[in-house]
Amino acid sequence: VDADSDIKSPPSRYACDLKGILKQSQNNTLSFVDYPSIYPMPDEASRSNLSSAGVTSVRSTTSRYNNRRAIGGVKKTRMIVFITGGACYSELRAAQEIMDKGGQEIILGSNRFISPTEFINDLGSI
C-alpha cells in the first residue's frame, strides 16, 4: 500500500489504497487495464491535450467558479470519485491531503460513509 501519508504513525494503522490510486491518476500513471474508463480515452500523443479529444468544460470562462481553480495561471482539473459499498473517513482524509498539497480538486462520493463503529457492527452481522 502506497498511502505515503505525512502523518507518522505506528505500522498497525490502516492505510487506505485510495491515496495511491489518486496520486497515480494525477501523475497519469494509473493503469487503464486495472481502472478502465467508461469513455473512450485519447491516444498517447494527445492524452496531455484533452480538448483535442473533445473534452472541454461546460462552464464559461466568466464563471466565478472557473477562476477559483486557477493557481499561478494554471487551471486545475476536477476528479470525481464514487465508491460503492461505502467509504470510510480515512479515504476522505486521503483526498483532502492531496488537495491540501496543491493537487487537483477531488469530489468524493459514496452511497454511505462508514464510521468505525458502523464498520465493527457490519462485521458482527456477517
Side-chain angles (χ1 to χ4, degrees):
V1 175
D2 181 31
D4 188 76
S5 179
D6 292 337
I7 302 170
K8 300 298 180 202
S9 56
S12 63
R13 182 175 178 180
Y14 172 73
C16 72
D17 294 334
L18 183 63
K19 188 169 186 177
I21 293 168
L22 294 174
K23 282 184 175 183
Q24 288 176 3
S25 177
Q26 284 192 323
N27 296 332
N28 290 327
T29 58
L30 188 64
S31 167
F32 288 116
V33 174
D34 295 333
Y35 301 96
S37 174
I38 59 171
Y39 295 108
M41 296 302 292
D43 61 5
E44 289 293 325
S46 65
R47 185 175 291 167
S48 62
N49 186 4
L50 291 177
S51 62
S52 67
V55 179
T56 58
S57 176
V58 294
R59 289 200 172 122
S60 69
T61 56
T62 60
S63 169
R64 65 185 173 124
Y65 299 105
N66 193 23
N67 296 331
R68 288 184 187 172
R69 295 184 347 204
I71 294 180
V74 177
K75 288 187 180 181
K76 293 186 175 188
T77 59
R78 287 188 179 125
M79 181 187 311
I80 300 173
V81 178
F82 189 85
I83 302 172
T84 58
C88 61
Y89 295 118
S90 62
E91 291 162 335
L92 285 170
R93 184 185 70 238
Q96 184 65 44
E97 286 175 356
I98 288 176
M99 289 190 301
D100 287 346
K101 288 183 180 179
Q104 68 188 131
E105 180 182 4
I106 300 169
I107 301 169
L108 184 67
S110 181
N111 55 333
R112 78 186 258 220
F113 286 94
I114 304 169
S115 70
T117 304
E118 289 174 315
F119 178 74
I120 296 298
N121 291 339
D122 289 348
L123 283 178
S125 67
I126 294 179

